[in-house]
Amino acid sequence: MYNGIGLTTPRGSGTSGHVVRNASALKSERKHDTAHTKGHQYPGERSSKHKHVDKEILEHEQKRQIEVKCLELQDELEEKGLDDDEIEQRVNRFRRQLLENIDYLDLSK
């Protein structure tokens, strides 16, 4: 036991009795003033509000939404009992229409 910390005897505890200080509870010293960074971790870092969104990712998301709409149409047509070839033709036609007008679509629904 050291300064009232630790075991009086390590017997039966399954440990060596060695006491280690907890470094995670210590406060880290700040080496620079963060007031000039305006809330950013580093002076050149952008905030998450103005994060650049990749155009390809947005396009992929739009195409994914189109496929969801096509699958919904396919389910509706299958419930009506239409022939598989007719369903495929209608879904492909619907997909082409959506892809042609992808810039004007609101797929948030």
Side-chain angles (χ1 to χ4, degrees):
M1 181 152 48
Y2 179 74
N3 285 341
I5 300 172
L7 304 171
T8 54
T9 177
R11 281 188 170 171
S13 68
T15 66
S16 67
H18 180 72
V19 177
V20 180
R21 84 175 177 183
N22 185 359
S24 65
L26 299 176
K27 292 183 180 179
S28 64
E29 295 181 23
R30 299 206 174 204
K31 295 182 180 180
H32 63 282
D33 184 23
T34 58
H36 69 280
T37 61
K38 297 182 183 177
H40 304 301
Q41 187 176 0
Y42 302 104
E45 182 182 16
R46 290 183 165 180
S47 69
S48 61
K49 286 184 180 179
H50 300 96
K51 188 174 182 179
H52 175 70
V53 180
D54 192 8
K55 186 177 179 180
E56 292 177 358
I57 292 174
L58 292 175
E59 184 179 330
H60 176 76
E61 180 64 24
Q62 287 177 329
K63 288 180 180 179
R64 192 184 70 76
Q65 290 294 329
I66 287 174
E67 287 302 314
V68 168
K69 296 284 186 186
C70 290
L71 288 173
E72 289 173 355
L73 175 66
Q74 183 177 349
D75 286 342
E76 288 177 18
L77 296 176
E78 286 175 352
E79 287 177 3
K80 289 182 180 178
L82 293 176
D83 185 34
D84 288 343
D85 292 332
E86 178 68 24
I87 292 172
E88 187 176 343
Q89 288 175 359
R90 288 189 184 187
V91 170
N92 285 337
R93 190 177 327 126
F94 182 64
R95 182 180 292 116
R96 277 195 308 273
Q97 289 173 351
L98 291 177
L99 287 173
E100 287 173 3
N101 300 318
I102 195 167
D103 295 330
Y104 307 108
L105 295 177
D106 180 22
L107 298 171
S108 60
K109 297 179 183 177

